[in-house]
């Protein structure tokens, strides 16, 4: 199958493109390269441009009339930046996605898989969220994700559009061949910070927030190996119509996580085991807006996608460490 992947020059998009190729499919990448890397689209069908460029979308479909579905991943991804730049986040995520979805319907390409986020969920007492759990998107980033979900739901009800909304938990690790991975120069997420501390690029690792209502006071997350996440997309593409038929709906939401919650202290411990040496760790108060966290109930992913995460947290940490050693060469960073 041919699959249009918006944002396919990014971290998750390039890994998903490789997983699609390994399953015998052909990704067609559309990316503005605003954040992604040209290196990640090497040897792939690639269109450089914006998701809201309707003329470009028409050209892509003209040149690839056999596109079966679209995976819409293109986005801005920095939560604190979304607080400072709400206009850019609402415009790029909501307005531009509207143009994309409308044009795809006009072009007769109505199947859309959308990258949403666990950040749309409200905190629940035991931290385990299922797709019907209460929502409380707390940043402009999360609100644009929820709004785009609603756009898809409303358009599916009124037009030929059909949507599978994947709510990702916390992707970590890199592609198994170390050809792609996290590309931002200074990753702000917890595993990126740990890798930087291990490489001596930071003196110590700071645990922010130690008085949360979790088992050890630190935030809880569901870290999923990006390769497992990529495989979930392959399953969703291959079963697209069956998924919607099995739930009896025109659009549906599916959590994509491991089903295990890990606290920051537990992650640091696992990291030190894989790394083989202790790291200097300090504790600090939470940063403004830090969420306590959640982990996924993954029953629906198992039942309708026939998919489960199979890699361990240790696999993901080893992969992130290996990518950390190689990424400057791959990306041409100093
Ligand atoms: N990384 C995470 O922790 C995480 C968690 C949950 C959801 N997501 C979602 O997954 C998707 C992929 O995230 P990622 O981590 O790979 O980010 P990324 O920045 O590596 O990739 C996003 C890609 O989209 C491209 N892009 C942005 N705006 C565009 C536009 N208007 N037109 C064309 N291309 C555009 C960028 O150039 C980039 O290559 C995003 O939708 C993100 O919100 C990511």
């Amino acid at each position: 199958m041919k699959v249009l992947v918006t944002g396919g020059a990014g971290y998750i998009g390039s890994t998903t493109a490789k997983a699609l190729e390994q399953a015998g499919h052909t990704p067609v990448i559309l990316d503005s390269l605003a954040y992604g890397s040209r290196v990640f689209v090497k040897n792939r069908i690639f269109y450089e441009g914006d998701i809201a460029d309707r003329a470009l979308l028409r050209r892509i479909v003209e040149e690839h009339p056999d596109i079966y579905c679209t995976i819409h991943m293109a986005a801005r991804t920095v939560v604190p930046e979304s607080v400072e730049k709400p206009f850019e986040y609402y415009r790029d995520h909501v307005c531009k996605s509207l143009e994309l979805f409308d044009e795809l319907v006009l072009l007769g390409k109505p199947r859309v898989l959308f990258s949403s986020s666990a950040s749309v969920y409200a905190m629940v007492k035991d931290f385990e969220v299922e797709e019907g759990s209460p929502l409380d998107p707390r940043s402009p980033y999360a609100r644009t994700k929820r709004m785009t979900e609603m756009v898809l739901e409303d358009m599916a009800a009124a037009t030929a559009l059909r949507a599978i909304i994947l709510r990702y938990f916390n992707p970590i690790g890199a592609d198994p061949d170390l050809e792609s991975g996290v590309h931002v120069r200074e990753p702000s997420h917890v595993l990126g910070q740990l890798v930087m501390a291990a490489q001596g690029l930071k003196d110590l690792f700071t645990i922010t927030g130690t008085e949360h209502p979790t088992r050890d006071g630190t935030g809880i997350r569901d870290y999923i190996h990006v390769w497992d996440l990529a495989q979930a997309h392959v399953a969703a593409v291959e079963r697209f119509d069956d998924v919607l038929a099995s739930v009896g709906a025109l659009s549906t939401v599916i959590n994509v996580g491991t089903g295990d919650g890990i606290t920051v202290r537990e992650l640091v411990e696992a990291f030190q085991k894989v790394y083989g040496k202790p790291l200097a760790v300090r504790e600090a108060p939470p940063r403004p807006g830090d969420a306590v966290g959640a982990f996924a109930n993954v029953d629906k992913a198992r039942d309708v996608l026939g998919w489960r995460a199979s890699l361990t947290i240790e696999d993901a940490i080893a992969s992130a460490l290996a990518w950390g050693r190689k990424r400057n060469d791959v990306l041409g960073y100093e």
Side-chain angles (χ1 to χ4, degrees), residues 6-14 30-37 49-52 72-77 92-93 96 114-118 141 145 167-171 183-184:
T6 78
Y11 166 46
I12 302 169
S14 56
L30 168 59
D31 198 297
S32 63
L33 296 183
Y35 313 103
S37 168
D50 197 278
I51 53 165
H72 177 33
M73 298 203 187
R76 296 169 176 261
T77 59
D92 287 8
H93 292 186
K96 290 188 176 182
F114 174 60
S115 306
S116 191
S117 156
Y141 170 81
K145 287 291 176 188
R167 287 190 184 142
Y168 305 167
F169 280 67
N170 300 85
H183 54 84
V184 286

Side-chain angles (χ1 to χ4, degrees), residues 94-207:
V94 184
C95 302
K96 290 188 176 182
S97 293
L98 272 167
E99 300 294 328
L100 170 72
F101 300 152
D102 186 55
E103 192 58 41
L104 288 173
V105 172
L106 289 174
L107 290 167
K109 300 291 169 197
R111 296 182 187 87
V112 175
L113 262 166
F114 174 60
S115 306
S116 191
S117 156
S119 63
V120 299
Y121 285 113
M123 197 188 98
V124 296
K125 232 165 128 209
D126 64 358
F127 309 110
E128 179 174 3
V129 289
E130 51 191 54
E131 290 78 0
S133 291
L135 301 179
D136 182 20
R138 301 190 76 119
S139 65
Y141 170 81
R143 284 192 276 274
T144 64
K145 287 291 176 188
R146 179 58 194 140
M147 278 189 185
T148 310
E149 291 185 353
M150 293 193 293
V151 165
L152 286 167
E153 286 156 5
D154 288 343
M155 285 185 73
T159 73
L161 186 132
R162 300 290 175 262
I164 298 179
I165 294 161
L166 300 180
R167 287 190 184 142
Y168 305 167
F169 280 67
N170 300 85
I172 58 172
D175 138 51
D177 303 322
L178 300 180
E179 286 175 344
S180 70
V182 172
H183 54 84
V184 286
R185 281 182 187 261
E186 202 171 308
S188 59
H189 64 275
V190 56
L191 189 62
Q193 293 280 311
L194 282 166
V195 171
M196 285 174 67
Q199 290 173 324
L201 300 172
K202 292 187 91 65
D203 294 339
L204 41 72
F205 172 76
T206 306
I207 298 180

Side-chain angles (χ1 to χ4, degrees), residues 3-334:
V3 182
L4 178 62
V5 183
T6 78
Y11 166 46
I12 302 169
S14 56
T15 315
T16 299
K18 174 177 266 188
L20 285 166
E21 284 165 353
Q22 288 198 356
H25 309 301
T26 306
V28 174
I29 311 295
L30 168 59
D31 198 297
S32 63
L33 296 183
Y35 313 103
S37 168
R38 197 176 285 283
V39 176
F40 291 168
V41 290
K42 215 172 42 189
N43 306 325
R44 296 207 166 109
I45 302 168
F46 172 53
Y47 292 84
E48 183 174 344
D50 197 278
I51 53 165
D53 181 343
R54 287 177 179 254
L56 177 59
L57 289 168
R58 283 195 290 272
R59 178 155 76 87
I60 294 173
V61 172
E62 237 168 65
E63 290 174 6
H64 303 281
D66 48 343
I67 285 174
Y68 174 74
C69 73
T70 300
I71 303 180
H72 177 33
M73 298 203 187
R76 296 169 176 261
T77 59
V78 186
V79 175
E81 184 192 58
S82 77
V83 178
E84 285 154 28
K85 296 183 175 172
F87 168 74
E88 285 82 350
Y89 275 72
Y90 282 97
R91 179 197 58 198
D92 287 8
H93 292 186
V94 184
C95 302
K96 290 188 176 182
S97 293
L98 272 167
E99 300 294 328
L100 170 72
F101 300 152
D102 186 55
E103 192 58 41
L104 288 173
V105 172
L106 289 174
L107 290 167
K109 300 291 169 197
R111 296 182 187 87
V112 175
L113 262 166
F114 174 60
S115 306
S116 191
S117 156
S119 63
V120 299
Y121 285 113
M123 197 188 98
V124 296
K125 232 165 128 209
D126 64 358
F127 309 110
E128 179 174 3
V129 289
E130 51 191 54
E131 290 78 0
S133 291
L135 301 179
D136 182 20
R138 301 190 76 119
S139 65
Y141 170 81
R143 284 192 276 274
T144 64
K145 287 291 176 188
R146 179 58 194 140
M147 278 189 185
T148 310
E149 291 185 353
M150 293 193 293
V151 165
L152 286 167
E153 286 156 5
D154 288 343
M155 285 185 73
T159 73
L161 186 132
R162 300 290 175 262
I164 298 179
I165 294 161
L166 300 180
R167 287 190 184 142
Y168 305 167
F169 280 67
N170 300 85
I172 58 172
D175 138 51
D177 303 322
L178 300 180
E179 286 175 344
S180 70
V182 172
H183 54 84
V184 286
R185 281 182 187 261
E186 202 171 308
S188 59
H189 64 275
V190 56
L191 189 62
Q193 293 280 311
L194 282 166
V195 171
M196 285 174 67
Q199 290 173 324
L201 300 172
K202 292 187 91 65
D203 294 339
L204 41 72
F205 172 76
T206 306
I207 298 180
T208 48
T210 53
E211 289 177 19
H212 291 306
T214 58
R215 50 185 172 260
D216 63 16
T218 64
I220 191 161
R221 300 283 183 277
D222 183 337
Y223 298 101
I224 174 166
H225 197 304
V226 69
W227 189 241
D228 273 333
L229 177 59
Q231 300 302 333
H233 290 82
V234 175
V237 166
E238 290 178 346
R239 295 179 174 217
F240 196 99
D241 293 346
D242 292 343
V243 166
L244 293 180
S246 71
V247 296
L250 306 174
S251 68
T252 197
V253 174
I254 304 174
N255 282 344
V256 188
T258 63
D260 280 329
I262 295 188
T263 68
V264 179
R265 277 193 221 284
E266 290 163 355
L267 181 70
V268 172
E269 206 172 294
F271 186 89
Q272 297 185 132
K273 247 187 226 151
V274 177
Y275 178 52
K277 280 186 248 169
L279 289 181
V281 176
R282 127 185 125 92
E283 295 184 359
R287 295 163 305 183
D290 267 353
V292 181
F295 66 93
N297 176 296
V298 288
D299 292 352
K300 188 168 172 184
R302 182 199 56 212
D303 294 345
V304 306
L305 289 182
W307 166 92
R308 279 216 85 136
S310 62
L311 297 164
T312 64
I313 188 76
E314 287 80 14
D315 294 330
I317 291 169
S319 160
L321 273 165
W323 172 247
R325 286 190 291 272
K326 202 176 161 194
R327 68 178 215 137
N328 285 3
D329 290 341
V330 176
L331 292 162
Y333 291 170
E334 296 285 299

